[in-house]
């Protein structure tokens, strides 16, 4: 039986379902790492880089927010629909750049180097860390920082997680996500040459609600 998956269509469809808040609200709410409004750390987690690369930038709100502060900000996303929307929403910002590509392909071919790479529930979650992390490290300047956020692992379920992304009826479309406990993320990053790796679960606003895994490390 032939396996079928179509990530581009999946993410294009996801892009089409996103809310379209006013531009100022989108900028204000960008660069929030947690899934709850006005909760958890914000842009300060990135420090003050002059150049940034977002891995899986979606519509590009975070790229735009950085660009408005003078950062030379690039975002990469594999969804043509997301990148089209990013150009439509933020194409007028001189420091914002959007690239339509898979992050592994992009990082394998670009000559760019960045002071910070980050991913907000983005491509880092959906890409094998053993493939992605060495590529990210190579494209960071020495001492450059990687920061990412995503859902914490479900207890007892670690490594690659496969889900049928459009439900259990119809075409087979699945996505993979990678889930580990914070200390395992620190080990993986250290194994790939990053230093000062620190990972933690930011608690949700309500006890017993799902928190946010946040990970930082230096190249
Ligand atoms: C849950 S969305 C988050 C988007 C954005 N960071 C945000 O906070 O709105 C995940 C994004 O990662 C992108 N993505 C997933 N895998 C990717 C890959 N291998 N290369 C590039 N982008 C990818 C998807 O297209 C999607 O835009």
């Amino acid at each position: 039986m032939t396996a079928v998956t179509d990530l581009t269509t999946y993410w294009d469809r996801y892009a089409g379902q996103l809310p379209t808040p006013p531009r100022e609200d989108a900028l204000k709410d960008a660069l929030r790492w947690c899934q709850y409004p006005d909760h958890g750390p914000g842009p300060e987690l990135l420090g003050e880089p002059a150049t940034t690369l977002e891995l899986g930038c979606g519509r590009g709100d975070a790229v735009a927010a950085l660009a408005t502060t003078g950062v030379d900000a690039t975002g990469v996303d594999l969804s043509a629909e997301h990148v089209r929307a990013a150009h439509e929403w933020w194409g007028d910002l001189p420091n914002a750049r959007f690239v339509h590509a898979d992050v592994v392909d992009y990082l394998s071919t670009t000559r760019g180097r960045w002071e910070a790479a980050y991913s907000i529930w983005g491509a880092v979650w959906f890409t094998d860390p053993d493939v992605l992390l060495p590529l990210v490290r190579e494209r960071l300047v020495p001492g450059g920082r990687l920061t990412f956020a995503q859902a914490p692992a479900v207890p007892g379920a670690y490594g690659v997680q496969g889900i049928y992304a459009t439900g259990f009826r119809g075409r087979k479309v699945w996505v993979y996500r990678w889930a580990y406990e914070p200390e395992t993320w620190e080990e993986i990053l250290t194994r790939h040459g990053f230093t000062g790796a620190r990972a933690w679960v930011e608690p949700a606003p309500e006890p017993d609600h799902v928190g946010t895994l946040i990970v930082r490390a230096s190249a």
Side-chain angles (χ1 to χ4, degrees), residues 11 14 54 56-58 77-79 82 101-103 120-121 123 126-127:
W11 287 115
Y14 172 88
E54 181 167 358
C57 64
D77 202 286
L78 62 70
S79 158
H82 262 140
D102 181 283
V103 285
I120 305 173
W121 298 66
F126 300 98
T127 310

Side-chain angles (χ1 to χ4, degrees), residues 107 128-140 188 191-194:
L107 290 166
D128 184 343
D130 288 335
V131 175
L132 183 62
L133 293 178
L135 294 172
V136 173
R137 184 166 163 265
E138 208 164 295
R139 300 325 311 167
L140 283 169
I188 292 170
R191 175 155 51 81
H192 286 296
F194 285 85

